[in-house]
Amino acid sequence: MTVRFSVLIPTYNREKLIRQTIDSVLSQSFMDYEVIVVDDGSTDRTPQLLESYGTRIQHYRQQNQGVEVARNKAASLAQGEYLCMLDDDDVFLPCTLATYEQVIRHCDGPPLIVG
């Protein structure tokens, strides 16, 4: 299944912030996306929090190897035409993916968008 955007979120011990990050993606006005969260061996309640999202997100757990390895793992699982990197302490505005889609359409499918 191909989607337009794969939103990749590596995380580690962010139980107090990750919900706001994930919720900001799930609140997008543009709906053709998937969310992939890779937990880099958290020792807090991050894994339980990720479980609470059920099938609304894909989440994977690995031994602690660093944010780069977690982000690469998420990218290897992605089905999207475009990969959106989102840190676990950041948020998307509700129109972020819709804006990216407009840029893609108006600029004839650029290989990279930075926002």
Side-chain angles (χ1 to χ4, degrees), residues 96-114:
T96 296
L97 295 181
T99 301
Y100 292 170
E101 180 65 14
Q102 286 181 341
V103 170
I104 290 166
R105 289 182 186 273
H106 291 317
C107 295
D108 196 27
L112 176 68
I113 300 170
V114 179

Side-chain angles (χ1 to χ4, degrees), residues 19-34:
R19 183 173 298 283
Q20 183 178 7
T21 300
I22 293 169
D23 289 350
S24 78
V25 179
L26 296 177
S27 298
Q28 292 299 294
S29 60
F30 185 86
M31 301 304 294
D32 191 13
Y33 66 87
E34 65 181 351

Side-chain angles (χ1 to χ4, degrees), residues 5-16:
F5 299 106
S6 293
V7 181
L8 314 179
I9 307 171
T11 191
Y12 177 74
N13 285 347
R14 291 293 193 162
E15 70 177 294
K16 294 182 179 173

Side-chain angles (χ1 to χ4, degrees), residues 18-19 22-23 26 49-57:
I18 191 70
R19 183 173 298 283
I22 293 169
D23 289 350
L26 296 177
L49 192 143
L50 297 176
E51 285 285 333
S52 74
Y53 282 94
T55 59
R56 294 185 294 162
I57 67 169

Side-chain angles (χ1 to χ4, degrees), residues 27-80:
S27 298
Q28 292 299 294
S29 60
F30 185 86
M31 301 304 294
D32 191 13
Y33 66 87
E34 65 181 351
V35 180
I36 303 172
V37 182
V38 175
D39 177 7
D40 191 38
S42 293
T43 57
D44 63 1
R45 295 191 41 79
T46 297
Q48 293 84 355
L49 192 143
L50 297 176
E51 285 285 333
S52 74
Y53 282 94
T55 59
R56 294 185 294 162
I57 67 169
Q58 299 173 52
H59 58 91
Y60 303 90
R61 186 168 167 82
Q62 66 181 27
Q63 288 184 335
N64 185 262
Q65 299 174 64
V67 67
E68 299 85 6
V69 175
R71 194 180 320 274
N72 287 341
K73 173 68 174 178
S76 75
L77 298 165
Q79 299 293 312

